[in-house]
Amino acid sequence: VQLQASGGGLVQAGGSLRLSCAASGRTFSSYALGWFRQAPGKEREFVAAINWRGDSTYDADSVKGRFTISRDNTKNTVYLQMNSLKPEDTAVYYCAARRRWYARSAGDYDLWGQETQVTVSS
């Protein structure tokens, strides 16, 4: 499975963006997908994840109620809908994959996609 993230951009505080992570490969539906982000000078942090079936998700406390992760296995794509964006959400966002169940640690993911930049202006 290879991953490609897209959908980042510049948005004002309070606005919305939807990130997409498109995957190639026939085994996409057997992978859990996670979103991580890294702001300048900070460590990479977990944002949200979804299991391989799409019936279980986990969000970081910092994005609960604002971000929603979902997936469409018919399109081999995972989405991160980001609403009520804040300047502190500014970061490079990555999608990552691992078999079946999600994890919160970046080290538990085997596959990583290219980043997409999200910038939220105040």
Side-chain angles (χ1 to χ4, degrees):
V1 172
Q2 292 184 319
L3 307 173
Q4 178 66 54
S6 63
L10 173 64
V11 64
Q12 288 188 330
S16 298
L17 282 174
R18 188 177 78 159
L19 304 184
S20 298
C21 178
S24 61
R26 292 177 289 178
T27 59
F28 173 78
S29 61
S30 65
Y31 282 82
L33 272 291
W35 286 98
F36 291 79
R37 66 187 182 187
Q38 188 165 16
K42 294 189 177 181
E43 293 187 354
R44 190 170 298 189
E45 67 169 345
F46 171 80
V47 176
I50 188 166
N51 72 338
W52 82 102
R53 291 189 302 239
D55 59 1
S56 181
T57 64
Y58 191 87
D59 304 322
D61 288 343
S62 58
V63 305
K64 272 192 200 306
R66 300 189 298 121
F67 291 11
T68 303
I69 188 170
S70 62
R71 68 188 294 160
D72 185 342
N73 285 347
T74 66
K75 297 181 179 179
N76 280 13
T77 303
V78 170
Y79 304 98
L80 185 68
Q81 178 65 44
M82 306 187 296
N83 299 328
S84 302
L85 282 161
K86 304 175 182 180
E88 51 263 44
D89 295 317
T90 295
V92 171
Y93 283 69
Y94 301 85
C95 59
R98 69 188 303 269
R99 287 284 188 179
R100 299 177 76 81
W101 279 102
Y102 51 71
R104 286 176 286 174
S105 172
D108 290 329
Y109 286 80
D110 308 304
L111 304 168
W112 289 84
Q114 290 184 315
E115 69 272 17
T116 186
Q117 175 72 45
V118 172
T119 303
V120 184
S121 62
S122 57

